[in-house]
Amino acid sequence: MKNQTVRIELQERSYCIAIGRSLFDDPRSYAELPAASHVLIVANSTVAPLYAQRLEQALRGKYAAIHTVVLPDGEVYKTWQTLNQIFDALLENQCDRKTIIFALGGGVVGDMAGFAAACYMRGVPFVQVPTTLLAQVDSSVGGKTGINHPLGKNLIGAFYQPLKVVCDLDTLSTLPPRELSAGLAEVIKYGPIADLNFLQWIEDNIDALLAREPLALAHAVRRSCEIKAWVVVQDERESGLRAILNFGHTFGHAIEAGLGYGEWLHGEAVGCGMVMAMELSRRLGLVDAAYVQRVKTLIAKAGLPVLGPCLAASDNAGRYLELMQIDKKAQDGAIRFVLIDGAARAFVREAPEALVREVVDACCVRL
Ligand code: NAD
Ligand code: GLY
């Protein structure tokens, strides 16, 4: 299989996403990176034993001092306290301003390592080596970095682009099936918001994707990254268009925060959130019931939940509304949703509260 490259054109912050097999442990993947006295690999307790040594080996010829910090694994650890472990490792190893941080892992490690890179000495370079499907198709690309706050997800952070993204499809072989499905949610997302041909392709290849066939994975990662790149180069800091990438996320973030981070995976919450956002789009006359059912069927086939959890014994819809008010898209207390039409166009809009309540009631399991 031929390796592929997607380029993110952002003037002096431009970079390449390399997609292929046997990439992350190949020194050639890092040949164009700048010289540095130190590098710090950030991984977690699951990914480090699997892949950290091989990355260290690949970097050894180029960098003299290679340090590794191993964080606890889980969304619940995407916090200030864990972030501080990265700063501790940087300072204890006397890392200077040229130090390159390597984020080796899923979106949690990538977001935290990127945020640490944005802050340490007011900014050091970093490289994303995403090892989950979700991170390869979404979180490692585009420069959103950050941590959670008990009151909401990803509320503390910075836009900070990596020097390079290395998507090695071989690392996906060790991913638990539930995590693979979570990544497929973000792959599916790109269809309704931007590319109906891609939606059709995912439908035709969902079994191959679930079976982790490399050619299918390569296409899914490349097309997802191309669509994400198309959005990010037009609106790097989310003043408008980029918000469409949050399709399903308004409801999804409420599910994650309402249940407690880590209970449902981010991708699971997004998958179910997309069903809710499509239902809302239907009630606003933007799509028909057949299209909602089509995407819902695909989400279910990907192994994702399509019914939302009940977050409160009484007034469940009210609890969803309360949690969605903390979403970053909210303006002056009004919740804004990413809605879609049948022609793969997405819009960010407010919606009448009564309609949102109807959607939550229709799309959630009953106690
Ligand atoms: P994650 O980072 O928690 O990884 C999922 C699980 O898989 C973890 O237990 C991890 O240790 C394990 N894992 C990772 N790679 C593995 C491998 N190759 N083999 C075996 N196990 C492996 O979760 P995620 O789904 O990758 O990312 C979710 C996070 O990404 C959320 O915090 C979300 O907010 C964030 N996110 C950020 C952006 C962005 O633009 N920055 C976009 C989407 C999501
Ligand atoms: N995952 C949403 C974004 O990068 O904007």
Side-chain angles (χ1 to χ4, degrees):
M1 194 180 77
K2 233 175 127 231
N3 293 335
Q4 307 179 62
T5 302
V6 175
R7 190 159 165 82
I8 309 271
E9 290 292 351
L10 290 169
Q11 295 94 32
E12 72 283 1
R13 296 178 309 290
S14 300
Y15 56 98
C16 286
I17 307 162
I19 302 161
R21 305 187 67 178
S22 305
L23 284 182
F24 93 97
D25 54 356
D26 184 340
R28 288 173 297 182
S29 298
Y30 311 107
E32 79 271 30
L33 296 182
S37 306
H38 297 265
V39 302
L40 178 74
I41 298 171
V42 181
N44 72 20
S45 53
T46 304
V47 174
L50 291 169
Y51 300 117
Q53 253 190 353
R54 284 162 64 190
L55 178 57
E56 284 168 20
Q57 188 64 36
L59 298 174
R60 199 150 284 150
K62 188 170 170 108
Y63 298 109
I66 299 168
H67 319 286
T68 299
V69 60
V70 179
L71 308 178
D73 182 3
E75 184 76 35
V76 284
Y77 296 107
K78 198 174 164 185
T79 59
W80 271 118
Q81 287 74 13
T82 316
L83 187 70
N84 238 342
Q85 291 186 33
I86 305 178
F87 296 134
D88 289 347
L90 287 162
L91 289 164
E92 282 161 11
N93 289 298
Q94 296 166 347
C95 291
D96 59 17
R97 313 182 85 151
K98 291 201 161 164
T99 301
I100 305 175
I101 296 181
F102 285 75
L104 174 68
V108 171
V109 161
D111 282 11
M112 279 196 294
F115 189 34
C119 299
Y120 187 66
M121 299 202 173
R122 302 200 177 89
V124 294
F126 88 111
V127 174
Q128 290 271 18
V129 186
T131 61
T132 63
L133 180 61
L134 186 140
Q136 295 190 356
V137 300
D138 191 354
S139 65
S140 66
V141 175
K144 278 190 182 176
T145 70
I147 53 170
N148 297 331
H149 185 277
L151 290 180
K153 257 188 79 72
N154 299 331
L155 292 178
I156 320 291
F159 286 100
Y160 196 66
Q161 301 294 344
L163 286 182
K164 181 167 189 180
V165 182
V166 178
C167 294
D168 188 332
L169 303 168
D170 289 339
T171 62
L172 303 181
S173 64
T174 51
L175 203 59
R178 196 177 158 199
E179 298 292 349
L180 184 78
S181 292
L184 286 173
E186 301 281 13
V187 176
I188 293 169
K189 169 184 85 177
Y190 292 112
I193 63 165
D195 185 350
L196 290 181
N197 289 334
F198 187 45
L199 180 63
Q200 181 66 58
W201 180 89
I202 303 166
E203 288 174 317
D204 294 343
N205 289 276
I206 191 68
D207 293 334
L209 289 166
L210 287 166
R212 305 176 202 218
E213 286 179 18
L215 282 176
L217 287 174
H219 182 73
V221 173
R222 182 176 61 78
R223 187 66 195 129
S224 300
C225 288
E226 281 172 356
I227 295 171
K228 181 144 188 186
W230 173 77
V231 172
V232 168
V233 300
Q234 293 178 76
D235 182 22
E236 183 184 5
R237 297 175 77 90
E238 198 165 315
S239 48
L241 178 73
R242 185 165 177 169
I244 70 169
L245 296 174
N246 284 322
F247 177 50
H249 287 58
T250 312
F251 289 105
H253 283 172
I255 293 172
E256 283 187 276
L259 288 176
Y261 297 125
E263 190 63 33
W264 274 31
L265 302 179
H266 175 71
E268 291 172 334
V270 168
C272 186
M274 286 193 288
V275 175
M276 294 182 174
M278 290 207 66
E279 257 308 316
L280 187 56
S281 303
R282 184 183 72 75
R283 281 160 206 261
L284 287 163
L286 292 164
V287 292
D288 62 21
Y291 188 45
V292 178
Q293 190 53 48
R294 176 182 169 195
V295 178
K296 190 172 167 180
T297 302
L298 179 60
I299 292 169
K301 268 196 186 164
L304 295 158
V306 290
L307 266 184
C310 189
L311 300 179
S314 73
D315 195 17
N316 180 47
R319 180 68 183 137
Y320 269 80
L321 283 162
E322 187 178 65
L323 288 162
M324 288 191 292
Q325 238 133 29
I326 303 167
D327 188 84
K328 286 191 290 305
K329 289 184 297 304
Q331 276 178 4
D332 302 324
I335 308 164
R336 295 158 79 237
F337 298 89
V338 181
L339 304 169
I340 48 136
D341 70 7
R345 285 178 303 207
F347 326 89
V348 183
R349 289 215 190 129
E350 290 174 28
E353 184 181 313
L355 225 50
V356 179
R357 283 181 171 275
E358 274 181 30
V359 167
V360 174
D361 288 342
C363 294
C364 284
V365 287
R366 316 232 176 279
L367 269 189

